[in-house]
Amino acid sequence: MTEQPIHLRIRRQDRPDSAPYWQEFTIPGHPDHNIVSLLMALRENPVTVSGERVDPIVWEHNCMEEVCGSCAMLINGVPRPSCSALVAELDQPIRLEPLPKFPVVRDLLVDRRRIDQGLKQVKAWIRIDGVWDTHEGAPRIGPDAWAADYLYSRCMSCGCCMAACPQFGPHSAFLGPAPLAQARLMNAHPTGRYDKTERLHAIMADGGLSDCGNAQNCVRVCPKEIPLTTAIGELGRQTTVQLLKDLFGPR
Amino acid sequence: MSTPNVIVIGGGLGGLWATLRIADAGFPITLFSLFEVKRSHSVCAQGGINAVLDTKGQHDSIRQHIIDTIKGGEYLANQPPVKAMCEDAPGLIHTFERMGVTFSRTPEGLLDQRLFGGVKNKRTCFAGASTGQQLLYGVDQQVRRLESEGKVVKHEWWEFLSLLLDADGVCRGIVAMDLNSLEVRAFTADAVVVASGGMGQLYAPKSTTSTNSTGAAASRCYRQGAWMANAEFFQFHPTAMMGHDKNRLMSEAARGEGGRIWVPKTPGDRRPPKTIPEAERFYFLEEFFPAYGNTVARDEAARAIWTVTRQMGLGIGGDGGDRVYLDLTHLDAAFIGARLGAILEIYRKFAGVDPMTEPMEIFPAAHYGMGGLWVDFERSADGGIQPDSPRNHATNIPGLYACGECDYAYHGANRLGANSLLSASYSGRVAGESVVSYLKGLAVDRGGLAPAIPQAEVACQQGINAELMRAEGADTPYLIQKELGALMTTKVGVVRSNPELTSALGEIQVLQERLGNARLGESSTWANQSLAFARQLGDMIELAAVVAQGALARDECRGAHYKPAFHIPIPEGTFAGDPEFEAYRDRWHANNAQWLKTTIAEHTRDGPKLSYQEVDLSVYAPTEPRDYR
């Protein structure tokens, strides 16, 4: 395979509070480069098209197999993991920007702690007595239920769904699709359902489920094809039932 | 006295399990990680996790699991911890299950188990094709719960730089750096657990590991006196797809289902592979190993690919011609699609080429560091390890514990498919329990750490940073790492020879000197990744010397370490009772007497100092050479 110059436009930002600016680079590469490997090549010799030597570009990456979720960014306007974004399938100049909606730390590196906060808010865990051996298995789960749950357990908190969501961002308290989908997953678990009421109350409050505008952007950009809107729909039904229970019934 | 506190470094399976066990016992914990813990390399494991549940009517036994693990490591593992690990595996799986891990299920809703490499029984629990990810999320969720209850504090985007050792050499905390502000700060603790993962990046980019698997944290402990053990044993996986950034694993299943490995017979043949006629292709595995063909064992396949590319010069591909074809194109598309869907998808996604129409290009890749920080254990009366002994998973530095891929224990666990996730989880749990015992045994009147110690250590670490920021040499750390990876792959890789290892040690020394004079090419002190990387690279080079030195000293072939000059072949056509075979058996015994031992490396100013330790063979001693004929 022959090398061809690859043209990049990268939005840079030196500090969280400084103004962003653009830089352009051309670097020789193969079509089988992905964005992470291009950025790696670029940091060895970070010289712009105008010949100016600049600081190496800062971004986050780890597994580079689309499973750790760290390297997501905006590529030609679309939020996606950069490891699985092949140069050959992208129009040039390739435009790289930090994942929107999250605070920029530097260049393409963002702070996604809000996902974690959301997971805490919806109690996205199974409450167990302790991690010792209880000499007992857990309740059975049928293959159909497993198949449905497995889809949601693959969420790697990359934040693409949140970046694409018009309701999520610094302007709102909305939890965003990823934590909501985890609430659905935990509610479906035979032990996790013991805390279902608490989880539902958490998403019936401000920033919860009702803030979803049903734009469907999240499900379109999810790299793991997680049925996020299906989860949100299921939670909608669960909260309606919960509302009636809260009004009329014992909990 | 206030409640003793613990620092855990690393948030993969090992670190999170240790955290959970320590928190269960009521001790406060601070967890340090280079990134959000859920992004740890544990997520990359796909296959599964072993435990004898014997749910498939095969009369599988824990004893068999123990023996498979011991043999998998060619007897290098101390056997009491292996025994305890296999015995505790079923309980561990059930605990994961209680955490909500989405293990694949049988029609009746039970845990499903499947067959995995090197094992005769269905012993592997799995969660689709993403078991590591699911297991890690299980413990990550539990740690998040504890964090919300105030029992765990996370310091993500902080890097461990050095240990705080008191006047008696006891570990009393760490110095760490905020990766954004570059603030260097001391954190005192009553015990420290290192769970910082493997060191596959020594071989980058021809490694399957994550970019943060540098081994730097373990190396920093080593520099301060912790022993490294068996570092020369590095597992290479024969079939990984090449990438500019890394090699990605292509499961053995591709060959198992009929994939064929070949290269063109003519060196430098640049024709597209599909246009090269059968007669001009060299199906070398089928020629070298007529009985096994393409399904020959991992080590053999890796060595054959090495021979063909590096020694015979028949490799394909642009960069030095060290790839070979893994060809599935002759197989039925529907069959392959159904059986190998996940692999095909990865190749398509990352190479942009369809392996059903074009042969894949692959090369052996560094996959798992089987050595690591030396850790202790206390043998119990029943031949396992003593529950709750403070010696289990303790390094030779009092108060410092290690678990997961960064420790050396359970050697061979990882040479058996689906045993690595088990050893990472189990060792984390044991290390956690051990730390709890250590804390309970601490003297009530143990004084605080003299303030001069953290002050001096922080100043020292800040000095290293300032030095790196100032340097204005010709090299950059990124270019030096490239050279390190190429050097390690070429000279300390799949096949080793003493002259090459000696020359590698010299070159490693040169790289260390060049790094001392490299320029970061970086002006900002905010989120300066080049600085953190340059520091890690120095520690990687230190480790590379330990790997190469250990390999140079070990004049034998054992497991993942292979030196053809010291290979003892089974004489062809002879069997037990034949004089020639018995002579071979004697040589095999003599070799074990000399080399069946643990390499210990101690840091000195002049490089690693090696010594050897007996292996505890009390469960299943080696009596017969392995004979797969």
Side-chain angles (χ1 to χ4, degrees):
Chain A
M1 246 178 285
T2 47
E3 289 199 336
Q4 297 155 357
I6 294 163
H7 189 179
L8 289 174
R9 288 194 73 214
I10 301 178
R11 196 176 88 146
R12 308 200 60 173
Q13 187 171 332
D14 297 337
R15 302 183 68 90
D17 50 3
S18 64
Y21 55 95
W22 289 87
Q23 277 176 347
E24 301 207 15
F25 303 87
T26 53
I27 57 168
H30 297 285
D32 65 341
H33 260 295
N34 59 44
I35 295 300
V36 171
S37 65
L38 264 194
L39 288 172
M40 281 177 159
L42 186 59
R43 74 182 173 185
E44 288 168 17
N45 189 29
V47 176
T48 65
V49 282
S50 51
E52 185 195 357
R53 179 168 289 278
V54 295
D55 280 1
I57 286 140
V58 170
W59 85 106
E60 195 177 7
H61 60 291
N62 199 15
C63 82
M64 302 179 291
E65 296 191 354
E66 209 189 61
V67 60
C68 80
S70 68
C71 69
M73 58 181 71
L74 210 56
I75 300 169
N76 284 350
V78 180
R80 57 186 295 190
S82 51
C83 63
S84 56
L86 297 187
V87 166
E89 66 194 27
L90 295 167
D91 293 331
Q92 293 191 34
I94 301 169
R95 206 154 30 89
L96 303 182
E97 297 168 78
L99 209 56
K101 311 292 174 68
F102 297 101
V104 174
V105 177
R106 183 176 168 187
D107 294 343
L108 304 171
L109 177 69
V110 296
D111 180 349
R112 283 171 283 187
R113 255 178 293 199
R114 248 186 93 180
I115 303 179
D116 238 19
Q117 285 160 7
L119 292 172
K120 281 185 197 152
Q121 196 177 325
V122 301
K123 300 187 190 300
W125 50 70
I126 307 296
R127 197 154 49 88
I128 61 175
D129 185 37
V131 294
W132 43 77
D133 187 358
T134 55
H135 306 282
E136 205 176 307
R140 296 186 183 198
I141 294 174
D144 287 349
W146 172 81
D149 296 346
Y150 180 71
L151 298 173
Y152 298 106
S153 66
R154 297 214 62 203
C155 170
M156 53 188 182
S157 299
C158 63
C160 290
C161 59
M162 320 272 268
C165 172
Q167 307 303 120
F168 175 82
H171 59 280
S172 90
F174 182 45
L175 276 165
L180 284 174
Q182 293 305 298
R184 179 268 165 233
L185 173 65
M186 299 301 156
N187 281 357
H189 188 269
T191 314
R193 69 191 163 88
Y194 299 155
D195 294 321
K196 190 172 170 179
T197 304
E198 261 190 281
R199 273 187 216 103
L200 292 178
H201 282 155
I203 64 168
M204 286 154 75
D206 271 355
L209 195 67
S210 59
D211 287 13
C212 168
N214 202 22
Q216 307 271 342
N217 289 2
C218 54
V219 74
R220 274 193 288 269
V221 299
C222 176
K224 293 293 159 192
E225 294 169 3
I226 297 170
L228 295 159
T229 44
T230 309
I232 290 170
E234 281 182 43
L235 287 170
R237 286 188 291 281
Q238 290 179 17
T239 47
T240 307
V241 173
Q242 185 63 45
L243 201 66
L244 294 171
K245 275 190 193 169
D246 290 346
L247 282 174
F248 301 112
R251 284 173 65 178
Chain B
M1 177 175 129
S2 62
T3 313
N5 68 314
V6 184
I7 283 172
V8 175
I9 300 160
L13 270 176
L16 295 181
W17 258 104
T19 300
L20 291 175
R21 265 333 243 139
I22 296 164
D24 270 346
F27 294 102
I29 301 178
T30 313
L31 183 56
F32 286 80
S33 172
L34 299 170
F35 37 78
E36 290 160 304
V37 295
K38 68 185 140 206
R39 315 207 187 278
S40 302
H41 185 58
S42 303
V43 294
C44 286
Q46 298 174 346
I49 178 165
N50 286 340
V52 173
L53 304 176
D54 194 32
T55 53
K56 297 290 182 186
Q58 296 178 311
H59 307 289
D60 195 9
S61 73
I62 289 176
R63 176 79 183 164
Q64 190 62 50
H65 187 188
I66 297 167
I67 291 170
D68 287 345
T69 303
I70 290 170
K71 283 187 172 174
E74 294 220 30
Y75 298 96
L76 270 174
N78 286 312
Q79 296 179 357
V82 170
K83 179 175 185 284
M85 174 181 82
C86 297
E87 286 172 348
D88 284 1
L92 203 63
I93 297 296
H94 288 312
T95 311
F96 271 126
E97 197 192 356
R98 283 164 52 220
M99 291 176 190
V101 169
T102 49
F103 285 118
S104 295
R105 300 283 163 166
T106 67
E108 52 189 304
L110 296 171
L111 295 175
D112 202 359
Q113 293 203 288
R114 69 181 170 196
L115 208 54
F116 227 76
V119 175
K120 293 194 186 106
N121 293 327
K122 291 184 178 171
R123 192 185 289 160
T124 304
C125 297
F126 58 104
S130 61
T131 313
Q133 185 187 21
Q134 305 306 324
L135 295 182
L136 186 80
Y137 292 176
V139 279
D140 173 61
Q141 285 153 11
Q142 295 304 316
V143 168
R144 190 169 298 107
R145 174 172 64 86
L146 293 171
E147 193 188 14
S148 73
E149 293 168 11
K151 292 174 181 161
V152 172
V153 173
K154 275 189 201 151
H155 279 321
E156 291 169 322
W157 302 287
W158 276 78
E159 178 154 20
F160 158 73
L161 297 181
S162 66
L163 301 168
L164 292 174
L165 303 177
D166 69 13
D168 301 321
V170 178
C171 180
R172 305 290 296 270
I174 66 167
V175 168
M177 174 166 74
D178 180 329
L179 289 172
N180 289 338
S181 69
L182 304 193
E183 178 201 1
V184 176
R185 204 201 300 176
F187 296 84
T188 57
D190 295 280
V192 173
V193 181
V194 202
S196 52
M199 49 172 159
Q201 285 296 304
L202 292 185
Y203 292 87
K206 292 194 168 86
S207 161
T208 62
T209 64
S210 298
T211 37
N212 284 294
S213 303
T214 60
S219 182
R220 287 161 191 172
C221 298
Y222 163 74
R223 277 180 197 242
Q224 287 183 274
W227 300 336
M228 291 294 295
N230 288 340
E232 65 269 33
F233 291 94
F234 214 101
Q235 190 195 348
F236 297 87
H237 197 286
T239 58
M241 65 175 277
M242 310 287 288
H244 300 279
D245 46 351
K246 75 177 290 188
N247 284 9
R248 297 178 178 87
L249 207 60
M250 287 292 109
S251 156
E252 264 160 342
R255 288 181 291 137
E257 300 292 358
R260 299 177 80 187
I261 289 191
W262 63 277
V263 288
K265 282 185 175 163
T266 320
D269 190 336
R270 289 189 173 277
R271 286 176 291 173
K274 296 284 277 180
T275 67
I276 299 176
E278 280 286 310
E280 292 171 40
R281 297 176 180 190
F282 181 23
Y283 291 97
F284 52 93
L285 290 182
E286 296 162 41
E287 286 194 27
F288 293 169
F289 311 99
Y292 291 90
N294 290 289
T295 55
V296 72
R298 261 187 205 189
D299 291 339
E300 301 287 0
R303 282 166 206 153
I305 294 169
W306 193 268
T307 307
V308 162
T309 57
R310 298 270 168 151
Q311 281 155 23
M312 299 169 71
L314 290 173
I316 51 146
D319 52 350
D322 59 10
R323 315 174 183 197
V324 300
Y325 289 122
L326 169 54
D327 198 344
L328 302 175
T329 58
H330 57 286
L331 299 169
D332 179 68
F335 170 78
I336 288 295
R339 300 295 286 265
L340 298 173
I343 310 181
L344 303 180
E345 186 56 35
I346 290 175
Y347 199 86
R348 267 189 221 113
K349 206 161 200 172
F350 288 95
V353 173
D354 187 350
M356 279 154 91
T357 57
E358 287 289 318
M360 299 187 267
E361 297 183 10
I362 54 118
F363 182 75
H367 186 49
Y368 198 101
M370 298 165 74
L373 291 167
W374 178 88
V375 289
D376 199 5
F377 64 93
E378 183 180 341
R379 191 160 73 199
S380 64
D382 70 350
I385 59 172
Q386 186 62 39
D388 301 324
S389 164
R391 277 176 57 193
N392 298 332
H393 280 273
T395 69
N396 58 306
I397 296 177
L400 179 67
Y401 289 77
C403 58
E405 192 177 333
C406 76
D407 84 43
Y408 91 115
Y410 317 97
H411 191 107
N414 50 289
R415 273 163 59 81
L416 212 59
N419 247 354
S420 325
L421 287 174
L422 174 61
S423 64
S425 310
Y426 174 73
S427 66
R429 202 194 78 185
V430 173
E433 290 165 359
S434 191
V435 162
V436 169
S437 302
Y438 173 80
L439 295 177
K440 286 179 176 165
L442 282 180
V444 178
D445 58 353
R446 174 158 99 152
L449 187 65
I453 292 175
Q455 281 163 15
E457 193 55 43
V458 167
C460 167
Q461 297 300 327
Q462 284 169 334
I464 295 173
N465 287 354
E467 197 70 30
L468 281 165
M469 286 298 290
R470 247 196 319 270
E472 276 297 337
D475 293 304
T476 73
Y478 298 111
L479 288 167
I480 294 174
Q481 191 213 8
K482 239 180 160 174
E483 291 187 40
L484 175 69
L487 169 66
M488 292 298 286
T489 303
T490 303
K491 294 188 173 168
V492 199
V494 177
V495 174
R496 295 155 178 192
S497 76
N498 285 343
E500 288 207 322
L501 290 167
T502 307
S503 113
L505 278 164
E507 290 176 57
I508 288 167
Q509 184 65 37
V510 173
L511 289 181
Q512 187 71 279
E513 284 157 20
R514 279 171 52 194
L515 179 64
N517 196 27
R519 93 191 116 79
L520 297 184
E522 174 79 77
S523 55
S524 173
T525 52
W526 174 259
N528 182 332
Q529 292 180 332
S530 307
L531 174 74
F533 181 74
R535 293 192 62 132
Q536 290 165 2
L537 182 58
D539 298 296
M540 289 164 70
I541 294 173
E542 187 90 43
L543 275 187
V546 178
V547 177
Q549 190 84 55
L552 176 62
R554 187 174 282 273
D555 282 337
E556 68 155 351
C557 297
R558 183 180 299 275
H561 169 73
Y562 185 73
K563 269 187 190 172
F566 299 90
H567 179 53
I568 307 175
I570 301 179
E572 245 175 85
T574 71
F575 294 91
D578 295 342
E580 275 183 72
F581 188 88
E582 292 310 319
Y584 157 76
R585 193 202 298 268
D586 290 344
R587 283 185 69 192
W588 183 79
H589 278 297
N591 183 66
N592 270 349
Q594 191 184 356
W595 286 114
L596 176 41
K597 52 194 180 183
T598 302
T599 310
I600 305 281
E602 261 181 275
H603 176 77
T604 75
R605 221 177 254 278
D606 307 318
K609 189 182 106 197
L610 301 185
S611 60
Y612 295 91
Q613 252 185 10
E614 289 307 310
V615 178
D616 186 326
L617 302 170
S618 56
V619 177
Y620 186 77
T623 49
E624 286 294 315
R626 291 163 66 138
D627 186 352
Y628 286 128
R629 293 175 301 172

